[in-house]
mmCIF file of all heavy atoms in Angstrom:
data_model
loop_
_atom_site.group_PDB
_atom_site.id
_atom_site.type_symbol
_atom_site.label_atom_id
_atom_site.label_comp_id
_atom_site.label_asym_id
_atom_site.label_seq_id
_atom_site.Cartn_x
_atom_site.Cartn_y
_atom_site.Cartn_z
ATOM 1 N N VAL A 89 -29.446 24.965 0.224
ATOM 2 C CA VAL A 89 -28.167 24.468 0.722
ATOM 3 C C VAL A 89 -28.337 23.205 1.580
ATOM 4 O O VAL A 89 -27.508 22.294 1.523
ATOM 5 C CB VAL A 89 -27.386 25.570 1.466
ATOM 6 C CG1 VAL A 89 -28.067 25.984 2.752
ATOM 7 C CG2 VAL A 89 -25.960 25.139 1.735
ATOM 8 N N ARG A 90 -29.409 23.120 2.353
ATOM 9 C CA ARG A 90 -29.613 21.925 3.189
ATOM 10 C C ARG A 90 -29.880 20.696 2.325
ATOM 11 O O ARG A 90 -29.381 19.608 2.621
ATOM 12 C CB ARG A 90 -30.717 22.161 4.196
ATOM 13 C CG ARG A 90 -30.253 23.090 5.320
ATOM 14 C CD ARG A 90 -31.309 23.461 6.287
ATOM 15 N NE ARG A 90 -31.992 22.313 6.865
ATOM 16 C CZ ARG A 90 -32.943 22.401 7.774
ATOM 17 N NH1 ARG A 90 -33.320 23.584 8.225
ATOM 18 N NH2 ARG A 90 -33.514 21.327 8.250
ATOM 19 N N LEU A 91 -30.642 20.864 1.250
ATOM 20 C CA LEU A 91 -30.870 19.753 0.326
ATOM 21 C C LEU A 91 -29.555 19.328 -0.311
ATOM 22 O O LEU A 91 -29.256 18.131 -0.410
ATOM 23 C CB LEU A 91 -31.888 20.144 -0.750
ATOM 24 C CG LEU A 91 -32.108 19.084 -1.822
ATOM 25 C CD1 LEU A 91 -32.913 17.918 -1.261
ATOM 26 C CD2 LEU A 91 -32.797 19.672 -3.031
ATOM 27 N N LEU A 92 -28.765 20.305 -0.727
ATOM 28 C CA LEU A 92 -27.461 19.990 -1.323
ATOM 29 C C LEU A 92 -26.588 19.197 -0.361
ATOM 30 O O LEU A 92 -25.932 18.232 -0.760
ATOM 31 C CB LEU A 92 -26.735 21.268 -1.739
ATOM 32 C CG LEU A 92 -27.160 21.883 -3.058
ATOM 33 C CD1 LEU A 92 -26.513 23.253 -3.239
ATOM 34 C CD2 LEU A 92 -26.804 20.966 -4.208
ATOM 35 N N GLU A 93 -26.572 19.585 0.897
ATOM 36 C CA GLU A 93 -25.734 18.872 1.869
ATOM 37 C C GLU A 93 -26.245 17.448 2.109
ATOM 38 O O GLU A 93 -25.444 16.528 2.272
ATOM 39 C CB GLU A 93 -25.621 19.647 3.174
ATOM 40 C CG GLU A 93 -24.845 20.951 3.045
ATOM 41 C CD GLU A 93 -23.448 20.810 2.450
ATOM 42 O OE1 GLU A 93 -22.790 19.765 2.656
ATOM 43 O OE2 GLU A 93 -23.009 21.749 1.762
ATOM 44 N N LEU A 94 -27.556 17.236 2.102
ATOM 45 C CA LEU A 94 -28.098 15.874 2.235
ATOM 46 C C LEU A 94 -27.659 14.999 1.062
ATOM 47 O O LEU A 94 -27.247 13.850 1.242
ATOM 48 C CB LEU A 94 -29.623 15.890 2.316
ATOM 49 C CG LEU A 94 -30.246 16.474 3.574
ATOM 50 C CD1 LEU A 94 -31.771 16.526 3.431
ATOM 51 C CD2 LEU A 94 -29.853 15.671 4.807
ATOM 52 N N VAL A 95 -27.740 15.559 -0.141
ATOM 53 C CA VAL A 95 -27.338 14.833 -1.347
ATOM 54 C C VAL A 95 -25.844 14.515 -1.305
ATOM 55 O O VAL A 95 -25.425 13.389 -1.598
ATOM 56 C CB VAL A 95 -27.713 15.657 -2.603
ATOM 57 C CG1 VAL A 95 -26.990 15.183 -3.837
ATOM 58 C CG2 VAL A 95 -29.226 15.649 -2.809
ATOM 59 N N LYS A 96 -25.053 15.505 -0.932
ATOM 60 C CA LYS A 96 -23.600 15.290 -0.861
ATOM 61 C C LYS A 96 -23.248 14.261 0.207
ATOM 62 O O LYS A 96 -22.362 13.422 0.004
ATOM 63 C CB LYS A 96 -22.886 16.616 -0.598
ATOM 64 C CG LYS A 96 -22.960 17.566 -1.771
ATOM 65 C CD LYS A 96 -22.370 18.927 -1.434
ATOM 66 C CE LYS A 96 -22.485 19.885 -2.601
ATOM 67 N NZ LYS A 96 -21.895 21.199 -2.286
ATOM 68 N N LEU A 97 -23.938 14.309 1.316
ATOM 69 C CA LEU A 97 -23.701 13.331 2.374
ATOM 70 C C LEU A 97 -24.082 11.933 1.905
ATOM 71 O O LEU A 97 -23.324 10.980 2.097
ATOM 72 C CB LEU A 97 -24.476 13.711 3.638
ATOM 73 C CG LEU A 97 -24.381 12.742 4.816
ATOM 74 C CD1 LEU A 97 -22.930 12.520 5.239
ATOM 75 C CD2 LEU A 97 -25.224 13.261 5.973
ATOM 76 N N ARG A 98 -25.249 11.795 1.277
ATOM 77 C CA ARG A 98 -25.704 10.475 0.826
ATOM 78 C C ARG A 98 -24.727 9.865 -0.174
ATOM 79 O O ARG A 98 -24.343 8.716 -0.054
ATOM 80 C CB ARG A 98 -27.104 10.575 0.212
ATOM 81 C CG ARG A 98 -27.620 9.269 -0.355
ATOM 82 C CD ARG A 98 -27.740 8.192 0.697
ATOM 83 N NE ARG A 98 -28.205 6.947 0.092
ATOM 84 C CZ ARG A 98 -28.136 5.771 0.668
ATOM 85 N NH1 ARG A 98 -27.653 5.652 1.889
ATOM 86 N NH2 ARG A 98 -28.569 4.695 0.052
ATOM 87 N N SER A 99 -24.312 10.625 -1.153
ATOM 88 C CA SER A 99 -23.368 10.119 -2.144
ATOM 89 C C SER A 99 -22.047 9.729 -1.477
ATOM 90 O O SER A 99 -21.462 8.685 -1.791
ATOM 91 C CB SER A 99 -23.119 11.159 -3.230
ATOM 92 O OG SER A 99 -22.271 10.648 -4.220
ATOM 93 N N SER A 100 -21.607 10.539 -0.533
ATOM 94 C CA SER A 100 -20.346 10.267 0.164
ATOM 95 C C SER A 100 -20.430 8.988 0.990
ATOM 96 O O SER A 100 -19.461 8.229 1.063
ATOM 97 C CB SER A 100 -19.967 11.456 1.043
ATOM 98 O OG SER A 100 -19.787 12.615 0.255
#
Side-chain angles (χ1 to χ4, degrees):
V89 67
R90 286 175 54 178
L91 176 73
L92 280 171
E93 292 306 328
L94 291 175
V95 163
K96 291 174 182 181
L97 177 57
R98 177 61 182 165
S99 183
S100 299

